[in-house]
Amino acid sequence: MNKIMSNKAVIALFLVPGLLIFAFVFVYPILYTANLGFTSWKGLGPKEYIGFENYIKLFTSDTIFMMSLKNTVIILVTAVLGQLIPALFFALLLSGMKKRTRFFRVAFFIPVLLSTTAIALMWQKIYDVNYGLLNEALRLLHLAGWQHDWLTEETTCLIAAIVPVIWQWIGYHMIILYAGLKAIPEQYVEAARLDGANAFQTTIRVILPMLKSILKVCVVLAVVGSIKIFDNIYVMTGGGPYNLTTTIAIQMYKESFLKFNYGYGSAIAVLLCIVCVVVYLIINRLMAQENLEY
């Protein structure tokens, strides 16, 4: 076995199939999409190369794209804070419990296991103006003035579309943070308490610095997921009303598969990919730290 594994030709033979599959399903689609972004291809006929016209149009004359960009930024900020702050809070509560944490971990993680489409349809019914659970609860609480047609009114549609996303993924980040908290040696927390630190000071000065690498993972996952969000909102609103819930991913889908502007849709896809990579690099730079050994 050692003789075989030291043979470079044999190693290459084992690597080639995996590399070919990776190139075919990952590298080639990216390069093909990037190439389409420089064309005005409609799906039929020859590809006419138009240079950077698609990208120029995105930022100069496409008002729908600019609205989708603004919506995506709002979703990014709201969803990331709405997911990570409660997730960290619940993780801290659970880590302080000595027994009976399994029920809460399972309960919070159940939404992650559900189909995104099923969740979107469920919340669509909750928001229903006629028989939805939310409006009915407000009526029973004598708060009928707060009732809305949540998914079609201009003032409520975007935040109503964000809430199911937050609800679904809080448990996912909570489990990751909980695992990170349980990996922190108890003696550090005990030492801080012996030095007179209260619970808040212990959390801020001891726990969070040791949890920074785990927090970075959660931030990256939440940010990238928010930037490319599509299915939740598309099922509930389709990007409406009046494109008020349209995101970059939804706009990309509409241009490519509804309007058959494959060149323009590919330009949006390339831009979305670039934004995700840039945001990841920024987060990685801002949250860089020396490795803590404990």
Side-chain angles (χ1 to χ4, degrees):
M1 179 61 71
N2 291 334
K3 184 177 180 180
I4 294 175
M5 295 308 296
S6 63
N7 190 324
K8 293 183 179 180
V10 174
I11 295 174
L13 185 64
F14 280 103
L15 289 176
V16 166
L19 290 175
L20 288 176
I21 294 173
F22 176 77
F24 181 73
V25 302
F26 186 77
V27 177
Y28 174 73
I30 290 177
L31 296 177
Y32 185 75
T33 302
N35 178 61
L36 280 183
F38 295 104
T39 71
S40 59
W41 193 49
K42 299 289 185 178
L44 296 173
K47 300 179 180 67
E48 179 184 352
Y49 286 88
I50 56 176
F52 288 92
E53 286 187 21
N54 286 330
Y55 296 96
I56 294 172
K57 179 183 176 182
L58 283 174
F59 294 100
T60 57
S61 59
D62 191 342
T63 56
I64 297 178
F65 174 76
M66 296 308 295
M67 181 177 292
S68 71
L69 182 61
K70 183 190 73 172
N71 292 339
T72 302
V73 172
I74 294 173
I75 292 171
L76 168 63
V77 175
T78 308
V80 171
L81 294 178
Q83 290 173 38
L84 297 188
I85 293 176
L88 178 60
F89 175 74
F90 290 128
L92 288 168
L93 285 181
L94 285 180
S95 66
M97 296 172 60
K98 302 300 182 182
K99 297 180 180 179
R100 300 179 181 178
T101 63
R102 180 177 297 180
F103 169 79
F104 295 103
R105 283 183 284 150
V106 172
F108 274 92
F109 198 74
I110 284 176
V112 182
L113 303 177
L114 300 178
S115 165
T116 301
T117 301
I119 289 175
L121 291 173
M122 179 185 72
W123 279 88
Q124 193 178 52
K125 300 303 181 185
I126 291 174
Y127 288 136
D128 190 273
V129 65
N130 296 313
Y131 55 82
L133 180 64
L134 181 55
N135 278 343
E136 185 64 19
L138 291 172
R139 185 187 66 81
L140 292 174
L141 294 172
H142 304 289
L143 298 173
W146 291 13
Q147 292 178 330
H148 294 278
D149 192 350
W150 300 94
L151 293 176
T152 60
E153 292 185 15
E154 295 184 13
T155 56
T156 60
C157 59
L158 187 57
I159 189 64
I162 298 172
V163 169
V165 180
I166 295 174
W167 177 80
Q168 181 178 10
W169 294 106
I170 284 178
Y172 180 78
H173 296 291
M174 186 201 74
I175 293 298
I176 295 176
L177 293 170
Y178 175 79
L181 287 169
K182 299 306 288 186
I184 297 175
E186 186 66 25
Q187 58 262 33
Y188 289 98
V189 177
E190 292 296 332
R193 290 172 180 168
L194 289 174
D195 288 338
N198 57 35
F200 179 77
Q201 292 171 329
T202 302
T203 301
I204 297 297
R205 297 184 179 274
V206 177
I207 294 176
L208 291 186
M210 290 186 171
L211 202 63
K212 194 171 183 180
S213 60
I214 305 297
L215 279 170
K216 183 169 74 171
V217 172
C218 290
V219 169
V220 170
L221 291 174
V223 167
V224 173
S226 299
I227 292 174
K228 61 185 184 67
I229 189 170
F230 171 79
D231 43 4
N232 311 65
I233 296 178
Y234 189 78
V235 171
M236 283 192 292
T237 67
Y242 311 111
N243 296 302
L244 290 173
T245 58
T246 296
T247 63
I248 296 176
I250 291 176
Q251 178 67 0
M252 175 189 68
Y253 172 81
K254 288 182 176 180
E255 291 290 344
S256 298
F257 301 108
L258 299 183
K259 299 180 181 179
F260 301 105
N261 293 328
Y262 290 104
Y264 194 62
S266 297
I268 298 175
V270 171
L271 184 64
L272 182 62
C273 182
I274 292 173
V275 169
C276 289
V277 172
V278 170
V279 168
Y280 165 75
L281 293 175
I282 291 173
I283 294 172
N284 195 50
R285 182 67 180 270
L286 292 176
M287 300 189 71
Q289 68 169 17
E290 297 181 0
N291 292 328
L292 295 175
E293 295 184 1
Y294 52 86

